[in-house]
Each structure stands twice: as C-alpha cells, then as structure tokens.
Amino acid sequence: MRLLLLTASALALAAPAVAQQAMPHFPAALTPEGIAAADDHLALEEVEGAEAMAFVRASNEQALAALTTDPRYETFRAQAEAILTSQDRLPYPSFLGDGVGNFWQDATNPKGVWRRTTLDSYATEAPAWEVLLDIDALARAEGVDWVFKGANCLAPDDRRCLISLSEGGKDAVVVREFDTVSKTFVEGGFSLPEGKHRISWLDADTLLVATDFGPGTLTESGYPYIVKTLGRGQTLAEATEVYRGDAADGGYGVSAVVLRDPAGAVEAVLFRRPLDTFRAETWQWLDGRAVKLDLPARVGIHGVLDGALVVTPEQAWSVGGAAAEAGTLMAVDLAGLRAGAASATAQVVFDPGPRQSVEDVAVMRDHVLAVVNDNVVGTLRRFTPAGGAWTGQMLEAPANAAVGLGDTARSSGRVFVTSQGFLTPPSLGLLEAEATAPQPLKAASAKFDASTHVVEQYEATSADGTRVPYFVVMPRDLARDGQAPTVLFGYGGFQVSFPPAYRAEMGKLWLENGGVFVQANIRGGGEFGPDWHQAALRGNRQRSFDDFIAVAEDLIARGITSPDHLGIYGRSNGGVLTSVSMTQRPDLFDAVVIESPLVDMLRYHLLPAGASWIGEYGDPRVPGDAEFIAGYSAYQRLAPGVDYPRAYITTNTLDDRVHPAHARKFAARLGAMGHDHLYFEDTAGGHSNDADPVANARRWARHYVYLAQQLMD
C-alpha cells in the first residue's frame, strides 16, 4: 500500500473554493497517524471529558447570550411550544389489536403517553383515549429521563409488546415486555439491558435477538452481527445462536425479519447481514438452518405475497432470464431464490420512469400498495396480480402533495394514508381493501397563515449539466429584487427523499415574518430512485455539493434572494452539506445552520457509529478514499483569513448516532482561527430530538432567532 502524501496546495484543486488560503490544519499525510497529528482538538471527542464539557459550558453561555436575549426569542419559543404541544395536532395512529394506538406528547405530558382507542372513536372529534403507559409517570417513579422509542407488538392480537425506552433520547434503548390488557410490564417477562438491539417476535415465547452478547460480539460500528433465539425465562447468556455474520461487517448490524401472513402466521424468517451501509446478504431461516437467497446486495424487501418476495432491487439485476433496472418494483418466487436467480420466476410490478421513484410500499392480503413519487410529488397506486402479470390502478390522492403510507393491517386489508404540502397541513385517511380513495379521518388545523405564500418548483443546472429540482415557498407579492430573507434546506444522502412537507414551526416563525423557504432535491437523495442516490456516493460526493450550490446560484439569478439574505440549513448528513458549502462557497451565504452534523470526514469512522456509513462516504483508512474525502472535509479545509459567514453549530451531548465531537471540533477550530460563530450543545434529546417538545421549542426558537439576525436584521 502506497503512502499517500498530499499537501494543502496539491488538494486545493480537489474542490471549488473562493480563495486558496493556506489550510494550517490540513494533514501533511493522509494516513491515520497524519490525520490525528494535524488535529488539535482530539480532546473534544471524549463525550463527557473535562476539557470537552468546559468547552461546551463556555460556548453555551456565549450562544445563549446572543440568541435568548434577542427580543424575538421568547415570542418564537412560545409560538413553537404552542405548535408542538397543541391539542389539535394530528394524532398519528397505528393498528393495535382491534383498535388503534397513538403516542402523544403535550405540555402536560412532555415525555408522552402511549394510548389506545377504537377506530370508530378515533374518527370522532374527541376520541375516548385509554392510557396504556405514562412515560412522565414512569420517569418520575424510576428517576430516569426515559424517552419512548416505540412498541413492537406480537400479531395478531397485539397483547404483548416490547417497549423500547431510551435514557435522554439516545438510540440505545432498554427493552421491557408490556401487557396491553393489564397495562403493566410483564413480571419476569422479556427484558434487555441498554443496547442497540435488533429484535423480532418469533412466537409468544420466543424472540429473535441481535444485540451485544458480550466481548467480541459487536462490529466496529457498535452494532451486533450475531442472531440468537431468546426463550421466555432465558437470560441472554442462555440464548441459542441461529445466525452469525462477521465482526468486520458494516452497516447497522444484522437483523432478523419475520414476515407474516394476514392471520399473523410466520411466512418466512429472513436474516439481513449488512456488508456495508447499503449492501447486504439475505438468508432465509428454513428448517433450522440459514439458506442464502440469490438476491442482489442492494435490495429493498417489502414482504411476501402468494409465495413471492416483493422487492425493489437498487441495482441492475438479472433474474428469471430477464434484466431489471434499479428501482423496479418486482415479485420473485421465494423458493426460486433459494435455487438461484437465473431459475427464479420474476414479475415486474411497476417500472418507474426517469423522473419517478417507488417510495413507500405495503404488501397487503392480495395486492401491493405503493407511493410513487413523480418529479418529487406523490401518487398512490394499487398493484394486483392477475393471470401471470400485474395490473396497476391509480388511486385518488391530493395533487401536488406528499403522500405517505402509514400503518397497515393485513388481516383487514386496511392502511392509513397521509398527505401534506408546504402550505397544507397533514391529513389522514383510511384506505379499505377495495376502495379507490382513502376515507378522510382527520386533518390537522393550520398552524400559520399560508394565504400570504405560494409554492413554485424550479430546476437548477448543476456543474455537470444535471437538472436539479427545488421547491420555493415565497410571498405571493415577492418583489424579486434579491432582498428576500431565504433559508435553503438540503440533505442529499442515504437515498432519503424530501417531498413537500408541512413544517409548522417554520411557517409560523419564518414565513409569517416574510421569509422564503427553499427545499433542494439534490443528488444523494432518493427523489428519482437508486441512481439519483448512487450518483453522489463516495468519490462522487462533490455532485451533492455542486447541486446545492447550483440551487443557491439559481435563486440569486432569479432575483429571489442575494448572498446577504441567503442562509442554509442542514442536519446530520445535511451537516456535511452545509459545512462543506460554507467552506467551498462562503461568498454565497450569510447564515449557516449546521445541526447534529458530520464534519470531520477524515475521522468520522472512528466516532461511533461512523463506520456504519462507509458505504456512503468511503473509508478514510484507504488511501484513494482518503484523497477524495479530504477534497471536501470541512474540518480540515477551514482556513484563516476567509470571510466565512457567522455560522451556528449545534448538537447534543447524548447523540449516540452522530458523535457530538464533529460539531464541537468544527466550532473550536473556527474560534481558534478567529472566525465569528455560535455553538450550542444541549444536554439531552438524542439525534432525533424527540425527548421533549418543550425543549424542542427552545431549539427551534434558537434556530430562527439566529436566521433572523443574519438574514433580516
């Protein structure tokens, strides 16, 4: 293996930049040792280390002084809290036994209650809710900052459920068995200690569990690679191994997928062994042994219908003597896949066009439902097998909106369907088995005045000529003189799509104050299927940044805004996007929100759970990968003397998905170089920020005060 030596000047051509100032902390050698030697803030990687927490306290004091003393802060906070805790929000339901369940948070129960009612009662204006589990009361009784992370119930009666509880909002959870009839935790029932578990019910007395079974049973990302059966009354040490991957596996850990028929009986048990972030082997557990299925490494699995596995290959695939393009919705006989794809019988359910993508999929009793996005706008379709082929039927759904499939009940053939738009609050309907349109159930009330704004969809041309769509939510009477305060949002990763969405807090705190909101559907996302995502993987990551920059330039060219009034916002993978955009084109923006971000891309694999994303970004330990990652990694490319916008970087201490060190180190280096910035680190909330709506209201208030200061003042 050759030793890769690249100087800052040699890498200056690797990515566009306004100025080529020296980057004093760029590694002299792109080796693990060289990268670490150039890092003067390694101490901030210790989550609760003394130096790290002293930095957090000092930074928080400065940030809060700048943001919470602003006269707009309290108004924004109160408005956001009213939205996030309002009683007329849409209570999203899930089927629970003969009724429906819902998890609800408000000002009285900020940690929330898990509750249920009948479907008929749910459809009324004032459902009669029965509380199953009060998380606030549980947290008080046990003295733990519990956050509800979901319930996994055993079909078909859903009496026994596995409740996941997180301390402070972390991804790691404890699991306890709960009885929905007695409304108590089951004495002596299934119970797992804190971990990043992968759990499925096999039957009433048996679980399939992938977890930390002791030393040497986790990958370098901290995820499990061994599956065991855990019987009622057994400890984890007594569980029986049924499948084993490898400690070198990537991704998010091995999982067991139990596919059931409409009556709740097991149709198939699959093991998914991740090779990296997106590639995985698929095995079927059959007669006590694992048999490998001849599926492509990149594939989405949706369920079984009449012995056929409904899948979406995310790469070109030859099956049954025919070739299928990436993104095609297909049905392939399960038995044939055990023998080999060449001999399997396969049918195309739906072949999306070049500006379409298959989004949500639900396998029902005798048909398949799918949301198909057409130029980033949702449509709802039903596909039914007949005579050796599949017929498609377009179902009614709101135009120019995002459409989503909620929880499904295969036993009754029912599914909840949601729709929403940038200016249209979410609504919920119930789609019956043979209906051509969902029956309206509930609609959220408007949380801001949408009459002042309109939505337009435009396209920008990226550096390589690719057309990149984006939505603009702007005042009807916009002057187009370049003066509109504008927030540009993007993500561009992990095949995640961003169709139109009702962002109530944004509408109230930003649009009602005359702001413009822009959503860019850049490459790396899933808006146009797997190819749109894979176009920006690994060494092609710059395409995501080019797309985002092209949208910013297009907004300016159209007279919607100007660099003095244009800000960008991104979180998680979007934090890669905004930090890189800031360092590559500081001339384009006057506000940058970098939330829960990845920033140090040359050490991200060392910060839990970073190694699970190597399939997305590449591996900095490999010289060729280190070279293209170093071409954009914002932490290393910061330079003194550049006129960067005053950035706002924020995260929280208990984020165990994207390590808080990314945000800390970027802020510390900005400060050391003399660049004005704000850094705030909350002490709880986790990566999902779902711990407490009252705390979340403060979070949004800080965001929009900062944006108003930078773009409106």
Side-chain angles (χ1 to χ4, degrees), residues 287-544:
D287 299 327
R289 66 188 185 95
V291 180
K292 190 176 182 181
L293 299 183
D294 194 6
L295 281 166
R298 294 177 182 267
V299 65
I301 298 175
H302 309 296
V304 175
L305 181 61
D306 295 333
L309 197 63
V310 179
V311 300
T312 309
E314 296 174 357
Q315 63 187 71
W317 184 33
S318 179
V319 56
E325 296 296 323
T328 304
L329 185 61
M330 307 182 69
V332 188
D333 71 290
L334 189 55
L337 289 171
R338 295 193 294 268
S343 59
T345 301
Q347 297 172 337
V348 171
V349 178
F350 177 71
D351 187 10
R355 302 293 274 186
Q356 294 179 320
S357 66
V358 176
E359 199 67 20
D360 293 346
V361 177
V363 179
M364 306 304 289
R365 287 185 302 181
D366 56 5
H367 62 270
V368 171
L369 291 172
V371 171
V372 176
N373 282 346
D374 197 333
N375 202 27
V376 205
V377 173
T379 64
L380 181 61
R381 310 187 188 208
R382 176 187 288 128
F383 302 99
T384 306
W390 287 74
T391 59
Q393 178 185 16
M394 186 80 76
L395 305 181
E396 293 182 30
N400 300 316
V403 178
L405 297 179
D407 198 28
T408 62
R410 290 193 75 189
S411 58
S412 64
R414 292 169 160 175
V415 59
F416 293 115
V417 178
T418 62
S419 65
Q420 60 181 310
F422 289 112
L423 302 177
T424 307
S427 62
L428 178 81
L430 180 67
L431 183 67
E432 300 282 359
E434 306 300 329
T436 59
Q439 173 189 352
L441 283 179
K442 289 187 180 294
S445 63
K447 296 296 185 291
F448 62 91
D449 181 5
S451 66
T452 57
H453 280 61
V454 294
V455 179
E456 299 287 350
Q457 187 180 31
Y458 299 115
E459 287 185 343
T461 302
S462 194
D464 63 359
T466 299
R467 294 181 297 124
V468 181
Y470 66 95
F471 294 98
V472 181
V473 189
M474 57 188 171
R476 291 180 179 275
D477 58 354
L478 185 70
R480 301 219 177 198
D481 57 1
Q483 299 302 300
T486 301
V487 175
L488 170 59
F489 167 81
Y491 187 78
F494 295 90
Q495 203 169 318
V496 176
S497 300
F498 280 90
Y502 190 76
R503 302 169 183 265
E505 69 288 329
M506 182 274 294
K508 189 68 179 178
L509 278 58
W510 190 249
L511 297 184
E512 279 198 359
N513 290 302
V516 171
F517 176 79
V518 181
Q519 184 164 289
N521 299 114
I522 61 179
R523 281 174 288 183
E527 285 83 356
F528 299 131
D531 290 345
W532 193 250
H533 167 231
Q534 293 168 28
L537 284 181
R538 295 172 47 81
N540 292 320
R541 200 71 189 179
Q542 185 61 41
R543 291 173 177 169
S544 286

Side-chain angles (χ1 to χ4, degrees), residues 616-695:
E616 178 83 13
Y617 303 117
D619 190 341
R621 295 166 295 192
V622 176
D625 290 13
E627 184 174 357
F628 63 66
I629 293 170
Y632 67 79
S633 182
Y635 182 57
Q636 285 77 24
R637 298 192 72 86
L638 279 175
V642 178
D643 187 17
Y644 295 121
R646 173 185 181 241
Y648 174 46
I649 306 107
T650 181
T651 188
N652 73 76
T653 309
L654 294 185
D655 189 338
D656 58 346
R657 192 182 315 175
V658 178
H659 199 289
H662 286 280
R664 293 171 177 175
K665 294 189 337 180
F666 193 63
R669 184 161 289 176
L670 281 170
M673 289 182 174
H675 298 301
D676 191 15
H677 70 284
L678 295 174
Y679 178 74
F680 180 79
E681 182 174 316
D682 214 336
T683 55
H687 192 70
S688 299
N689 291 298
D690 57 357
D692 182 340
V694 177

Side-chain angles (χ1 to χ4, degrees), residues 152 198-203 207-210 227-228 242-243 253-261 265-274 280-286 293 295 299-304 309-311 334 363 410:
N152 177 357
R198 305 290 181 263
I199 306 175
S200 296
W201 287 98
L202 186 59
D203 57 46
L207 303 180
L208 287 166
V209 178
V227 181
K228 297 185 180 186
V242 293
Y243 181 80
V254 67
S255 60
V257 181
V258 179
L259 302 174
R260 300 181 185 275
D261 67 15
V266 175
E267 287 187 297
V269 176
L270 305 180
F271 300 131
R272 293 279 285 164
R273 177 200 174 191
E281 293 177 350
T282 306
W283 297 70
Q284 183 178 4
W285 193 34
L286 199 65
L293 299 183
L295 281 166
V299 65
I301 298 175
H302 309 296
V304 175
L309 197 63
V310 179
V311 300
L334 189 55
V363 179
R410 290 193 75 189

Side-chain angles (χ1 to χ4, degrees), residues 551-563:
V551 171
E553 292 176 330
D554 201 60
L555 289 166
I556 294 168
R558 292 179 187 274
I560 293 173
T561 191
S562 60

